[in-house]
Amino acid sequence: MKLWVLMLIAILAGLILGLSINWYIPVSMSSYMAIIILAALDSVFGAYKAMLDKKFNMHIFITGLVGNALIAAGLTFIGKKLDVDLYLAAVIVFGTRLFTNFATIRRHFLDGWVKKSHKDEEN
């Protein structure tokens, strides 16, 4: 089975499980969870882009996922201690990379779709 199919199944299973379980995140932890989720999404979109470019490496993905989450949570923790919104640095970086990776993935599929439609028109 292709890796992207497994990723899609895992994402859907996670969404279904997350929406079906009634769980509560304390307000004091919500900023940590938000930034960790953003870091994780950045890593997932980056991994998918790397798969499309045929440059995916599981070790890079796992270390990036864990490292990004730890750095983002650390910035959030230090920022709360200093009463400075340091987490915004992570939000800007991860948000920018997330949208950039999404744009690259979107262009990849649109280019494939356009090439396929041109091929169909020629036949």
Side-chain angles (χ1 to χ4, degrees), residues 8 24 47-48 53 57 65 68 72 99 101 104 112:
L8 185 60
Y24 172 76
Y48 192 69
D53 295 338
N57 182 315
L65 178 72
N68 286 345
F99 284 110
N101 286 335
T104 303

Side-chain angles (χ1 to χ4, degrees), residues 56-101:
F56 178 76
N57 182 315
M58 184 60 82
H59 298 292
I60 292 172
F61 170 67
I62 297 296
T63 56
L65 178 72
V66 173
N68 286 345
L70 289 175
I71 289 171
L75 281 174
T76 304
F77 177 77
I78 292 169
K80 282 189 175 216
K81 293 294 180 191
L82 296 174
D83 198 27
V84 176
D85 294 333
L86 285 179
Y87 73 93
L88 289 176
V91 168
I92 290 168
V93 170
F94 292 137
T96 301
R97 286 178 19 176
L98 189 99
F99 284 110
T100 302
N101 286 335

Side-chain angles (χ1 to χ4, degrees), residues 8 20-21 25 30 33 54 57 61 65 80 82 88 90 97 105 110 114 122:
L8 185 60
S20 63
I21 294 175
I25 298 172
S30 63
M33 286 302 297
K54 298 186 181 3
N57 182 315
F61 170 67
L65 178 72
K80 282 189 175 216
L82 296 174
L88 289 176
R97 286 178 19 176
I105 292 166
L110 284 175
V114 167
E122 290 174 358

Side-chain angles (χ1 to χ4, degrees), residues 107-123:
R107 278 192 298 272
H108 173 82
F109 284 108
L110 284 175
D111 288 346
W113 180 68
V114 167
K115 286 177 186 175
K116 185 178 184 286
S117 65
H118 285 305
K119 249 186 201 178
D120 290 345
E121 289 175 2
E122 290 174 358
N123 293 332

Side-chain angles (χ1 to χ4, degrees), residues 35-48:
I35 200 72
I36 288 171
I37 289 169
L38 186 60
L41 284 173
D42 170 59
S43 294
V44 169
F45 274 76
Y48 192 69

